[in-house]
Amino acid sequence: MSLAGTQPAKGENPLKTAAWTQKKSKSKLWFTLCSAYTCLLKHPDIHARTISDERSAGFIGLGMAQQLEKPVVLVCTSGSAALNYYPAVAEAYFQEIPLLILTADRPAEWIDQWDGQTIFQPEVFGKHVKKSFQFPDTFSTPDQHWHADRIVNDAINLSLQDPPGPVHINIPLREPFYPEAGEEMVFTPNPRIITHLSGSPNLSDENLRNLKERLKSAQKILIVAGQQNPNLKLKSILDQLASSPNIVVVTDTISNLQSEKTICLHDHWLGNENFYSSLEPDLILSFGKSVISKSLKQFLRKTKASHWHIQADGQAKDTFQRLTRIINCTPVSFLNWLNQNLPDGQTEFQSNWKKLEKTTQISLSHAFEQSEFGEYPALHYLLKKIQHFQKFMLPTAWLSDISTC
């Protein structure tokens, strides 16, 4: 999805330039507004929701963008309103969710002059956005129209480029702020669109040969799935790999890839260091974003295993302090290759993990039946009753309990 700006006449309110049309898509474009911006509400291709509380609007927009996997636009007035978006913007940055944040502002000469609704808004979100753009505040020349058009295209394309994330456009406004009575609002029918085309990176034959040679010495491979959206292709490949005797697949609570063949209850025993020697891998393969399990992270930091992280954009974090390779390709393509090039390994490695998983499953079942009503039984009951199409909102403290129940 991409957007482009209208072209306001000389002296026209530049917020009209920010009322953009959606390109090459018949679906509505979603905006969450904290003020009634007439130009946005009147655009036929914009589906706007007016939410008076900016903090709530930020998280509603974040949830919509996460589910749609398309940018959702947050719009607010000038002043401290923008700061109320900050928690949702930071969450979008680290979860790699595309958001566009449009903040109205006052002209530069009125900032820090004790005038109403004025703070320092340029780059107000700091490092928690991929980039912050400053919109022109007048449109007296063709170059200013071109500049505004380019900013809009760049911002939308950047929000979607791997890794996706939030992008901020600060829009200084000059009076008049509102249309005159009977004024017709006309949008450019065919705005200029800059399309960004990208493809999936692939490893060279030489790199694959080197990896295959290194795999020969990996007898115990631990695959760790971090935070991501549900993915049936990945889930299917992981189930195939989990059937190999020298591979253990750990699906973290927020990985959305759990199955009967993966390890999900590791938090219940990884805190016991007596088990470490029988569970330690010699190679860690990870993909996705953060891992919520503290005991898993602590366990892996104490191993002597090498760590390879699979990331399509070529970026990686040294979460386990063991990082030796960054594999620049998609998890699906690499894990498919791995499935066809697996070395022989130790069968005891996988059986040690599965034995603990099975024992924990049985123990938890008995515990739920015998325990008094409390946090675990309540969550267990709710998860049995929830339908597949329903959403279940939980506080952070309960996330590690999900796999338990």
Side-chain angles (χ1 to χ4, degrees):
M1 183 186 70
S2 197
L3 312 171
T6 62
Q7 299 219 356
K10 181 178 179 180
E12 190 175 10
N13 188 330
L15 188 57
K16 292 182 183 179
T17 307
W20 302 309
T21 59
Q22 187 175 4
K23 95 171 174 182
K24 297 181 181 177
S25 175
K26 300 300 182 184
S27 61
K28 293 279 188 179
L29 175 64
W30 283 90
F31 277 62
T32 64
L33 314 177
C34 293
S35 294
Y37 290 116
T38 307
C39 57
L40 301 179
L41 294 171
K42 288 188 175 183
H43 198 290
D45 289 328
I46 289 176
H47 190 152
R49 287 185 173 179
T50 303
I51 301 162
S52 58
D53 179 73
E54 290 92 359
R55 182 183 172 94
S56 299
F59 279 103
I60 289 169
L62 175 73
M64 292 165 60
Q66 183 187 59
Q67 295 298 304
L68 296 170
E69 298 184 354
K70 293 180 179 180
V72 168
V73 186
L74 306 178
V75 183
C76 70
T77 57
S78 65
S80 60
L83 300 179
N84 289 310
Y85 281 156
Y86 213 132
V89 171
E91 191 75 21
Y93 181 83
F94 287 107
Q95 284 201 41
E96 299 178 359
I97 296 173
L99 277 182
L100 291 173
I101 307 102
L102 310 185
T103 55
D105 198 0
R106 301 295 303 282
E109 64 268 22
W110 283 108
I111 304 303
D112 197 24
Q113 297 302 310
W114 295 352
D115 204 29
Q117 287 189 246
T118 54
I119 64 171
F120 300 112
Q121 285 186 211
E123 301 185 2
V124 71
F125 298 111
K127 293 183 178 180
H128 292 99
V129 290
K130 296 181 71 175
K131 189 171 182 178
S132 186
F133 293 90
Q134 183 73 4
F135 218 59
D137 61 0
T138 61
F139 291 86
S140 57
T141 69
D143 281 354
Q144 288 171 318
H145 289 286
W146 165 76
H147 185 206
D149 176 84
R150 195 183 78 236
I151 286 174
V152 174
N153 276 281
D154 287 352
I156 296 161
N157 286 332
L158 183 59
S159 75
L160 287 165
Q161 287 171 25
D162 211 4
V167 178
H168 174 215
I169 304 178
N170 192 51
I171 306 173
L173 301 177
R174 295 186 179 277
E175 295 192 48
F177 295 143
Y178 305 103
E180 297 178 0
E183 180 181 351
E184 184 180 3
M185 197 160 290
V186 179
F187 298 94
T188 304
N190 295 300
R192 183 170 72 109
I193 304 299
I194 301 174
T195 302
H196 181 268
L197 302 177
S198 60
S200 298
N202 295 305
L203 295 175
S204 68
D205 290 341
E206 182 180 357
N207 282 333
L208 291 174
R209 283 193 298 270
N210 290 336
L211 289 173
K212 188 174 182 179
E213 187 64 29
R214 171 63 181 85
L215 280 173
K216 290 179 180 179
S217 61
Q219 302 295 305
K220 300 176 290 183
I221 301 174
L222 184 70
I223 298 177
V224 179
Q227 182 182 22
Q228 59 209 289
N229 293 334
N231 187 315
L232 292 178
K233 286 184 178 180
L234 266 177
K235 193 172 183 178
S236 175
I237 298 167
L238 289 175
D239 283 350
Q240 293 175 45
L241 287 166
S243 300
S244 301
N246 60 327
I247 285 188
V248 171
V249 178
V250 176
T251 46
D252 194 61
T253 302
I254 52 177
S255 70
N256 291 302
L257 294 171
Q258 293 84 358
S259 78
E260 294 181 356
K261 295 186 177 183
T262 66
I263 302 296
C264 309
L265 302 174
H266 45 281
D267 271 328
H268 292 275
W269 70 77
L270 276 180
N272 187 342
E273 294 191 11
N274 293 327
F275 295 133
Y276 278 16
S277 60
S278 63
L279 302 176
E280 185 172 346
D282 49 33
L283 177 62
I284 305 162
L285 290 176
S286 68
F287 61 94
K289 296 184 282 291
S290 62
V291 171
I292 201 169
S293 172
K294 184 176 181 179
S295 60
L296 177 61
K297 288 183 282 191
Q298 290 178 333
F299 164 68
L300 294 177
R301 287 166 188 165
K302 292 179 180 179
T303 70
K304 297 180 180 179
S306 297
H307 173 206
W308 302 356
H309 185 76
I310 310 160
Q311 190 84 7
D313 60 20
Q315 300 183 34
K317 313 300 178 185
D318 193 10
T319 307
F320 312 131
Q321 299 180 314
R322 309 298 307 169
L323 188 65
T324 57
R325 279 180 171 82
I326 299 169
I327 300 176
N328 187 10
C329 67
T330 65
V332 169
S333 63
F334 181 79
L335 294 175
N336 268 324
W337 174 86
L338 176 67
N339 197 34
Q340 298 168 8
N341 293 273
L342 275 177
D344 295 330
Q346 295 184 12
T347 57
E348 288 185 4
F349 172 63
Q350 187 187 83
S351 64
N352 290 337
W353 281 82
K354 289 193 171 182
K355 190 184 300 180
L356 288 167
E357 180 85 356
K358 186 65 176 177
T359 302
T360 305
Q361 284 177 338
I362 296 171
S363 299
L364 285 172
S365 179
H366 292 323
F368 289 137
E369 293 172 1
Q370 298 170 7
S371 63
E372 296 180 1
F373 187 78
E375 180 180 306
Y376 273 166
L379 188 55
H380 181 62
Y381 176 82
L382 289 171
L383 288 172
K384 286 196 299 183
K385 295 297 182 181
I386 195 171
Q387 301 297 313
H388 72 278
F389 56 87
Q390 294 174 319
K391 302 295 181 185
F392 197 17
M393 305 299 294
L394 287 173
T396 304
W398 277 28
L399 284 176
S400 60
D401 299 343
I402 288 289
S403 58
T404 299
C405 300

